[in-house]
Amino acid sequence: MESTPVNWEALDALLIDFAKSENLIEEDSSAPSPSSSSYHSRLLIRHIRRSLHTGAIDAAVHLLRLHAPSILTDHKILFRLHKQKFIELLRKGTAEDRESAIQCLRTSLAPCALDAYPEAYEEFKHVLLAFIYDKDDNTSPVANEWSERRRIDLAGYISSMLRAHLNAYDPIFSMALRYLISIHRVYCLRQGITSPISDLTERLLLEERDPPATPQDILYEVPPFDEVDIQALAHAVELTRQGAIDSLRFSKGDLFLAFQNELCRMRLDVPLLDQLVREYCVYRGIVDSASGKQQPISEPVKFNQQDPGYCSSRDCSLEIDCNAGKHSDGETSVTNAQMDGSPENNADVTSLRQVDFEVRYASELTSIHEDCSTSGSQQHEDAAALQRGRLPGNGERSKRKRWRGRYDDNSYMPNASLEEHSKQEHSISTVVSTISKEKQGSEKLSVHDVSNVEDRYEILLGVKELASRGMAAEAVQEVNAIDPNFFAHNSVLLFQLKQVEFLKLVSSGDYSAALKVACTHLGPLASSDPALLKPLKETLLALLRPNEDALGNALPLHALAASLQVAVGRRLGVEEPQLMKIMRATLYTHNEWFKLQMCKDRFEGLLRIDSLKEANTPFLAPVSISKSYADSCTNGSSQATVSSGTRTSEDGSSPTQVSSRDVICDEGAILKVMEFLALPRADAIHLLAQYNGNAETVIQQIFA
């Protein structure tokens, strides 16, 4: 699968916003408490979710009364909470709790059942059977009522309602990642191709979703929604048509609010996401690489027992001690096959996955001396000395932020769940400690190796900083000092750096030096690679515009700096962050998916996906990327779509009997075929193209 250029500066901004919104980083050592009301609202939702997962219904209701009392005015929600409380009291099994369950029936559940909703009274009578049938009887009529799955469903439903009620939506990056991964999965499935990032995406975006929020009864009588909005929402987040209508009804017809509600129902593995974000931020110089070492691996980890997407540790990054040793495949890795479905085991397995991720990542970095170029360790020591002496990375280090990690303010935490939470801390702490001891007993890291890792990171950040400042000659000098053979294998990067040097000299008025760079470097490089001839000609045109800022107008220095950092890092044995791979692959499939849909994504502006793709390179040599998606996308709300047989073939979809001339498909016809036949947009367009854009003919032929 190909990749697509990414605007790394835009991604940096999104990730900084994400980290600040989730209170993962500190601007200074005073560690101020988060001030965002959205953060506190999300924190409240997490605590309510955790209380419901552990069966602490009273604690959840108490938090709702304190912070969202209007939610409890909905009798449907109140009835479900009282019913779950009744079951939890019976589950405890003591005579005292049985009396409390009867009291709950009389004072709360029965009165609420009378006016909650039409089916509530029947459900009330049905749940009374829990007095007769044991909780361990899986064949009883009330086995579903006893199931702990009911806790999870109730927690997800309340979370969906609270999220919309409190306007507590996740940060933009978190929602964009869900959306891009979901499109990536659908695209790969429909095209029958294997995703190169499937291992990451399957662990990161969970299959399970929270139940949808439901509108109050007064919202059921609403004007009909625009079919364009219904179809856009249904296909964007994989809903049925009725599901999309219900979602729009809940948001009172606001398409973008409905879209956010549906995205936030998708569940992410939050500890894994935090690890990926931190890895990327360290690599890009946003976060100080040493900031995560404040917490030893043996510190207890607070982890939600039944929610793999939640973590409340002091620092979920779980930094590995320098004596932790290397990780060998299979020692501590945990796969999805080991998830037996029980909430308790899911939490333990998720925490093990988290530890395995950090152990693997740390060991990859500390083993880089095995993968470096043939220059030997002395070359790296010399390079480290160069970096310490000349690169600007040391000056920039003071500007980096400090990674704080994810932990939750206990002021919202109900006392009823503290005991269970404490037990789990001890359990996970034991697991982590055991893994650490096993590692220490096998292979150990030397202080020299750890030092090299830090030096290499500083070297990479220094080279990146030089390139991003337009200091191309200095960047070339430093890279040659690190690896004299680097540019022999990366001639395009050398050409791009020399382009920067040439344009910088032109901008300063030193034309003779600029021409010397062109003759000495740009010309010979273009002679050996014909693909560089066109960029060379465009670069030389800068001589005709002496009064303009040629460097500022022509070159995206940050994109070049990122490419240089990745390439030099690979030569040093430091792989690019896995988040970079995810973004390249998912943005590429996003482009290709909307080529198939033959329309523009209506939601890419909301999620800043359009800004992530703004990585134009006017004078730089082209890299291996997909065709521009803009050539075949039209506005999603336009009234006509052009479909041709040639384009259909290029998109890789099934062959159709279409003439070579373009067929104009009316937007109304497309929507009609999508609605009646429940087809994706691309399939509806291809069918219409076969029948000259006539929707009635298509429908008749299908049902004939």
Side-chain angles (χ1 to χ4, degrees):
M1 180 180 293
E2 297 180 70
S3 62
T4 194
V6 180
N7 185 337
W8 300 117
E9 290 295 297
L11 183 59
D12 289 352
L14 278 179
L15 286 175
I16 291 172
D17 176 72
F18 169 81
K20 287 181 177 179
S21 298
E22 294 291 69
N23 201 32
L24 295 174
I25 57 177
E26 296 174 0
E27 298 291 344
D28 53 52
S29 58
S30 61
S33 59
S35 57
S36 168
S37 61
S38 178
Y39 171 80
H40 285 295
S41 296
R42 293 196 302 274
L43 196 60
L44 170 66
I45 293 171
R46 289 190 200 122
H47 288 313
I48 291 173
R49 180 192 286 270
R50 179 172 58 203
S51 297
L52 293 172
H53 278 175
T54 57
I57 309 301
D58 280 340
V61 171
H62 175 68
L63 288 174
L64 287 169
R65 285 200 178 110
L66 282 178
H67 303 285
S70 60
I71 286 287
L72 296 178
T73 61
D74 188 333
H75 287 188
K76 290 180 295 188
I77 294 177
L78 200 57
F79 175 73
R80 294 182 65 174
L81 288 168
H82 287 323
K83 187 168 69 166
Q84 192 63 41
K85 178 183 177 180
F86 168 72
I87 289 293
E88 297 304 332
L89 288 170
L90 288 181
R91 196 191 304 276
K92 294 179 180 179
T94 66
E96 182 181 352
D97 288 316
R98 195 175 184 87
E99 288 296 324
S100 297
I102 295 173
Q103 186 67 17
C104 175
L105 277 176
R106 292 172 177 170
T107 61
S108 302
L109 189 56
C112 192
L114 295 176
D115 56 2
Y117 48 92
E119 302 83 6
Y121 193 68
E122 288 300 319
E123 292 180 19
F124 165 72
K125 290 189 293 183
H126 181 73
V127 82
L128 292 178
L129 294 174
F131 278 123
I132 308 301
Y133 294 96
D134 189 78
K135 63 182 178 181
D136 297 321
D137 184 357
N138 294 327
T139 62
S140 76
V142 285
N144 288 336
E145 300 290 349
W146 281 115
S147 172
E148 292 188 0
R149 179 73 211 178
R150 282 298 178 98
R151 292 175 173 177
I152 298 174
D153 289 342
L154 178 60
Y157 173 70
I158 298 295
S159 297
S160 294
M161 295 294 290
L162 280 171
R163 195 179 297 119
H165 177 76
L166 299 174
N167 200 33
Y169 296 107
D170 292 329
I172 293 293
F173 172 73
S174 179
M175 290 193 288
L177 191 62
R178 291 173 169 99
Y179 184 53
L180 288 170
I181 291 176
S182 64
I183 289 176
H184 178 81
R185 286 178 176 176
V186 172
Y187 176 81
C188 292
L189 181 65
R190 283 180 58 87
Q191 298 301 104
I193 59 179
T194 302
S195 167
I197 57 170
S198 60
D199 177 59
L200 275 173
T201 56
E202 287 173 7
R203 289 187 294 144
L204 188 56
L205 184 63
L206 308 177
E207 292 292 338
E208 183 178 283
R209 295 189 186 190
D210 286 339
T214 56
Q216 296 180 6
D217 293 338
I218 59 173
L219 298 179
Y220 275 95
E221 296 300 327
V222 293
F225 302 113
D226 191 329
E227 189 64 32
V228 174
D229 291 349
I230 295 172
Q231 295 295 337
L233 181 62
H235 292 287
V237 289
E238 299 179 77
L239 294 176
T240 63
R241 184 174 183 277
Q242 186 58 49
I245 291 173
D246 291 341
S247 185
L248 285 167
R249 184 178 290 141
F250 179 77
S251 66
K252 301 180 182 179
D254 190 319
L255 174 64
F256 294 104
L257 275 180
F259 177 67
Q260 290 180 82
N261 285 333
E262 295 302 322
L263 277 184
C264 290
R265 284 177 54 210
M266 300 179 184
R267 303 282 296 283
L268 287 172
D269 185 332
V270 175
L272 176 57
L273 175 61
D274 288 352
Q275 292 287 0
L276 294 173
V277 169
R278 182 177 181 273
E279 179 191 31
Y280 176 90
C281 289
V282 169
Y283 187 87
R284 294 282 293 168
I286 298 170
V287 166
D288 189 356
S289 60
S291 64
K293 296 182 180 179
Q294 58 192 348
Q295 175 181 315
I297 191 170
S298 59
E299 181 175 334
V301 180
K302 298 179 180 178
F303 201 86
N304 182 6
Q305 190 174 10
Q306 297 173 341
D307 184 359
Y310 172 75
C311 177
S312 60
S313 64
R314 170 66 183 173
D315 183 354
C316 280
S317 58
L318 290 178
E319 194 69 27
I320 302 301
D321 184 79
C322 63
N323 294 322
K326 297 179 182 178
H327 172 64
S328 60
D329 291 340
E331 277 189 300
T332 58
S333 63
V334 181
T335 66
N336 289 335
Q338 293 170 283
M339 306 281 280
D340 66 1
S342 65
E344 292 81 6
N345 286 341
N346 282 354
D348 289 341
V349 170
T350 305
S351 61
L352 281 170
R353 279 206 314 245
Q354 173 189 336
V355 175
D356 173 66
F357 179 93
E358 187 69 20
V359 170
R360 176 174 57 79
Y361 174 59
S363 60
E364 283 177 356
L365 292 182
T366 54
S367 62
I368 57 177
H369 65 281
E370 299 173 359
D371 303 320
C372 294
S373 62
T374 56
S375 306
S377 60
Q378 182 61 44
Q379 176 180 313
H380 294 299
E381 291 173 3
D382 294 342
L386 277 171
Q387 183 270 329
R388 287 190 292 268
R390 296 201 303 270
L391 292 182
N394 288 328
E396 294 296 316
R397 186 165 188 169
S398 61
K399 300 179 182 178
R400 297 176 202 164
K401 297 172 175 59
R402 183 171 178 270
W403 185 263
R404 181 173 184 264
R406 186 181 296 271
Y407 77 97
D408 287 347
D409 183 354
N410 289 337
S411 62
Y412 287 131
M413 188 180 298
N415 293 332
S417 64
L418 287 176
E419 182 178 354
E420 187 70 26
H421 201 59
S422 177
K423 290 178 182 177
Q424 187 184 358
E425 285 182 2
H426 176 73
S427 172
I428 298 178
S429 176
T430 303
V431 171
V432 173
S433 179
T434 302
I435 293 175
S436 179
K437 289 178 181 177
E438 288 175 356
K439 290 301 183 182
Q440 291 175 6
S442 56
E443 299 177 75
K444 295 185 177 180
L445 302 177
S446 68
V447 176
H448 177 72
D449 287 337
V450 174
S451 176
N452 274 344
V453 171
E454 294 178 352
D455 285 343
R456 288 182 177 89
Y457 262 99
E458 293 306 317
I459 289 170
L460 291 179
L461 291 172
V463 168
K464 168 178 166 285
E465 186 65 23
L466 287 173
S468 64
R469 291 181 182 180
M471 301 169 68
E474 293 83 351
V476 170
Q477 179 184 359
E478 296 301 334
V479 172
N480 281 328
I482 295 166
D483 181 358
N485 299 319
F486 174 80
F487 288 116
H489 304 286
N490 295 274
S491 59
V492 171
L493 277 175
L494 178 60
F495 181 88
Q496 292 171 340
L497 286 166
K498 290 301 176 180
Q499 275 182 296
V500 173
E501 186 178 349
F502 172 86
L503 293 171
K504 189 174 182 180
L505 290 168
V506 170
S507 296
S508 66
D510 193 345
Y511 303 123
S512 60
L515 287 172
K516 183 177 179 181
V517 170
C519 295
T520 307
H521 299 284
L522 296 178
L525 287 169
S527 298
S528 61
D529 186 352
L532 300 177
L533 281 174
K534 183 179 179 181
L536 174 60
K537 295 174 184 177
E538 293 173 343
T539 303
L540 292 175
L541 287 176
L543 293 169
L544 304 178
R545 302 187 292 267
N547 296 324
E548 297 183 14
D549 183 4
L551 180 62
N553 295 333
L555 292 171
L557 294 176
H558 292 294
L560 173 58
S563 299
L564 184 64
Q565 181 187 16
V566 169
V568 174
R570 284 174 180 163
R571 294 290 289 178
L572 292 178
V574 179
E575 286 296 321
E576 67 178 328
Q578 297 185 79
L579 191 57
M580 276 188 162
K581 299 174 184 177
I582 291 174
M583 297 309 296
R584 284 197 185 97
T586 56
L587 287 173
Y588 168 78
T589 50
H590 182 273
N591 284 344
E592 297 303 305
W593 177 247
F594 283 95
K595 283 182 184 179
L596 290 176
Q597 306 306 307
M598 300 182 192
C599 67
K600 185 177 176 63
D601 183 4
R602 296 184 66 182
F603 304 108
E604 67 176 8
L606 175 70
L607 299 180
R608 315 279 176 81
I609 293 173
D610 52 353
S611 68
L612 292 174
K613 296 177 182 177
E614 293 171 358
N616 298 320
T617 55
F619 289 175
L620 295 183
V623 293
S624 178
I625 60 174
S626 62
K627 297 180 296 178
S628 173
Y629 74 99
D631 294 338
S632 60
C633 289
T634 57
N635 193 296
S637 59
S638 62
Q639 295 304 307
T641 298
V642 179
S643 176
S644 69
T646 302
R647 179 163 52 194
T648 300
S649 174
E650 289 175 352
D651 285 340
S653 53
S654 58
T656 56
Q657 301 298 321
V658 186
S659 63
S660 58
R661 66 182 180 86
D662 287 344
V663 177
I664 304 299
C665 299
D666 180 74
E667 188 70 15
I670 296 172
L671 293 173
K672 184 179 292 187
V673 173
M674 290 174 68
E675 178 184 355
F676 275 89
L677 303 182
L679 289 176
R681 182 183 176 88
D683 292 346
I685 292 172
H686 295 324
L687 277 174
L688 285 166
Q690 295 181 61
Y691 297 99
N692 297 318
N694 191 309
E696 287 75 13
T697 304
V698 170
I699 295 170
Q700 289 173 6
Q701 290 296 323
I702 293 297
F703 287 105

